[in-house]
Amino acid sequence: QKEVEQDPGPLSVPEGAIVSLNCTYSNSAFQYFMWYRQYSRKGPELLMYTYSSGNKEDGRFTAQVDKSSKYISLFIRDSQPSDSATYLCAMSAGNSGGSNYKLTFGKGTLLTVNP
Amino acid sequence: DTAVSQTPKYLVTQMGNDKSIKCEQNLGHDTMYWYKQDSKKFLKIMFSYNNKELIINETVPNRFSPKSPDKAHLNLHINSLELGDSAVYFCASSTFGLAGEQYFGPGTRLTVT
C-alpha cells in the first residue's frame, strides 16, 4: 500500500461547481497536512496547511483532516476557470528535525473548470 | 523579485554527459530541497539541506550530488546522465521549523537523449 493515495482524475467541472479533492494515507505518524496547487509547467505553490484533525477555511477553499480515517479533503466553492490546475496533497510526520518532516506527496489530481 | 530561481529552465543533453542545475532563494530561508517530478507528475524528495548541512538524503543514485555553498544556494550535479533521469527537477526552500510551507522554484526540465 502506498503511503499516500490520490485519485489522479482528471476531474472536469462547470464553473461555479463545488469541487471535492481527497487523499488517503497509511502512515499514522503523519501530523501535518498540506495542499499544493500546480499550474501547468510551473512549480507547486502552497494552498492550505493544517495540523492534526479538523477544518481550516481560507476564502473559497476548505481543508478537512480526519486522522481517525486517515483521510484528507480539499473543497473548492464557486470554482473558477483559474482554479484549473493539478492539486497535490502532501503530508509529514514532523515539522522540524531530520527526515521526520520530509513531505510525502500524493500523485496529484488534475482539475479543469469549464467556463 | 523572484523568490526561488533555478537555472537553466530547460536542459537537453546526451546520455553519459555531466550537468549541473543551480538554485537560489532570496526568502531568507535556511532549508532547501531538491525534488524530482517524473512524467506522471509524481513529486519525490531527493535531498534537503539545512544551513549547508545535508539532512535528508533519499535513495538516490550517487551520480546525483548536491552542493550547498551557503544557505541561499543549493546546486545539483548529475554525472553520467541516463535516459531515466529525464524529468522536471524542482528546488524548494522553507524555514526549518515550517517544513510544510515550502516555496518552489519554476523547475528545470531535463531531457536526456
Side-chain angles (χ1 to χ4, degrees):
Chain A
Q1 184 185 7
K2 287 196 171 70
E3 269 197 304
V4 179
E5 301 267 13
Q6 183 176 8
D7 185 343
L11 183 60
S12 181
V13 301
E15 184 174 352
I18 296 174
V19 176
S20 170
L21 304 166
N22 312 294
C23 288
T24 58
Y25 62 96
S26 59
N27 187 346
S28 56
F30 286 147
Q31 301 185 74
Y32 296 88
F33 304 92
M34 283 67 65
W35 286 95
Y36 281 80
R37 177 175 62 196
Q38 185 175 19
Y39 290 113
S40 180
R41 299 203 166 238
K42 302 283 186 187
E45 55 177 335
L46 180 66
L47 205 54
M48 299 288 279
Y49 183 8
T50 54
Y51 170 68
S52 196
S53 285
N55 293 357
K56 184 174 182 179
E57 190 173 318
D58 184 1
R60 296 184 295 109
F61 299 89
T62 300
Q64 284 186 354
V65 175
D66 181 349
K67 287 187 71 179
S68 61
S69 303
K70 296 192 178 68
Y71 188 87
I72 71 169
S73 301
L74 178 71
F75 296 96
I76 307 174
R77 288 184 300 282
D78 188 25
S79 55
Q80 303 294 310
S82 57
D83 295 327
S84 298
T86 297
Y87 289 80
L88 302 154
C89 62
M91 313 178 183
S92 73
N95 211 20
S96 62
S99 62
N100 275 346
Y101 75 94
K102 73 170 187 180
L103 298 189
T104 301
F105 282 85
K107 288 198 169 185
T109 300
L110 177 61
L111 170 69
T112 301
V113 180
N114 301 299
Chain B
D1 281 316
T2 305
V4 182
S5 59
Q6 294 178 230
T7 53
K9 197 165 182 181
Y10 298 95
L11 192 48
V12 180
T13 189
Q14 291 185 326
M15 275 175 38
N17 284 349
D18 303 339
K19 290 292 177 187
S20 291
I21 307 172
K22 295 188 175 183
C23 178
E24 176 181 1
Q25 54 93 6
N26 63 6
L27 296 167
H29 290 157
D30 54 7
T31 306
M32 297 184 72
Y33 313 79
W34 276 113
Y35 286 88
K36 179 181 180 180
Q37 188 170 48
D38 61 25
S39 56
K40 295 184 179 175
K41 301 288 191 178
F42 186 49
L43 194 62
K44 191 159 169 37
I45 183 79
M46 299 172 70
F47 303 102
S48 176
Y49 272 76
N50 172 246
N51 277 326
K52 302 193 294 176
E53 280 196 41
L54 183 66
I55 54 173
I56 292 177
N57 186 354
E58 290 295 281
T59 309
V60 176
N62 57 16
R63 298 182 295 103
F64 290 78
S65 50
K67 271 211 171 94
S68 182
D70 55 59
K71 66 179 187 179
H73 296 84
L74 180 61
N75 303 323
L76 183 65
H77 188 76
I78 315 170
N79 288 326
S80 304
L81 278 154
E82 300 178 357
L83 291 176
D85 297 332
S86 295
V88 182
Y89 292 85
F90 287 101
C91 175
S93 71
S94 75
T95 298
F96 186 62
L98 293 170
E101 293 186 27
Q102 294 186 19
Y103 291 78
F104 283 78
T108 295
R109 189 171 294 270
L110 171 65
T111 303
V112 182
T113 61

